[in-house]
Amino acid sequence: MAKKSDVEKLLDKHDNLTHSEEMTVVSHVQRKDDDWFMNTLLVEGTDVPFKFRRRKVYKNLTGARVNLTYYPMTEEIAGMEFEAMKVVRIKVS
């Protein structure tokens, strides 16, 4: 039996989790949020932002191909709900 990868273990453990490979980043924006940097990605073929936080500035991913592991979330901004994807794992492919 083949050993499961980290991604396969995560997907087995969490029902709502999705993994996508070779996604092209159209836009990457970083902004300071207290001690963290909030990163927002727009990916080709989607109209929903992918968000993740890091302690340090991340390299610009615009134009890069990435593998993302994420789950859907909704956030309320100014009284309106917006759909987004919370990234739990990102890897440049």
Side-chain angles (χ1 to χ4, degrees):
M1 188 166 136
K3 186 177 177 185
K4 285 190 175 183
S5 70
D6 291 340
V7 172
E8 290 172 326
K9 290 176 189 174
L10 278 171
L11 293 173
D12 287 346
K13 196 173 191 179
H14 304 281
D15 290 338
N16 290 348
L17 211 54
T18 304
H19 179 74
S20 298
E21 295 189 355
E22 296 288 320
M23 299 178 81
T24 303
V25 178
V26 177
S27 172
H28 178 202
V29 177
Q30 297 183 72
R31 66 184 176 284
K32 187 95 167 116
D33 185 19
D34 294 326
D35 293 339
W36 293 84
F37 286 92
M38 175 60 75
N39 290 263
T40 304
L41 303 176
L42 289 178
V43 177
E44 191 174 87
T46 66
D47 56 356
V48 178
F50 290 76
K51 296 184 170 196
F52 63 96
R53 295 183 344 161
R54 290 181 54 99
R55 286 276 185 196
K56 297 179 181 178
V57 173
Y58 200 62
K59 61 186 169 189
N60 190 336
L61 294 173
T62 303
R65 290 196 172 275
V66 295
N67 298 343
L68 297 171
T69 306
Y70 56 92
Y71 59 90
M73 68 175 193
T74 45
E75 57 186 355
E76 190 170 310
I77 301 172
M80 297 186 299
E81 285 191 357
F82 291 93
E83 183 181 3
M85 300 296 174
K86 182 168 183 165
V87 176
V88 295
R89 187 173 182 270
I90 183 169
K91 185 175 180 184
V92 177
S93 50

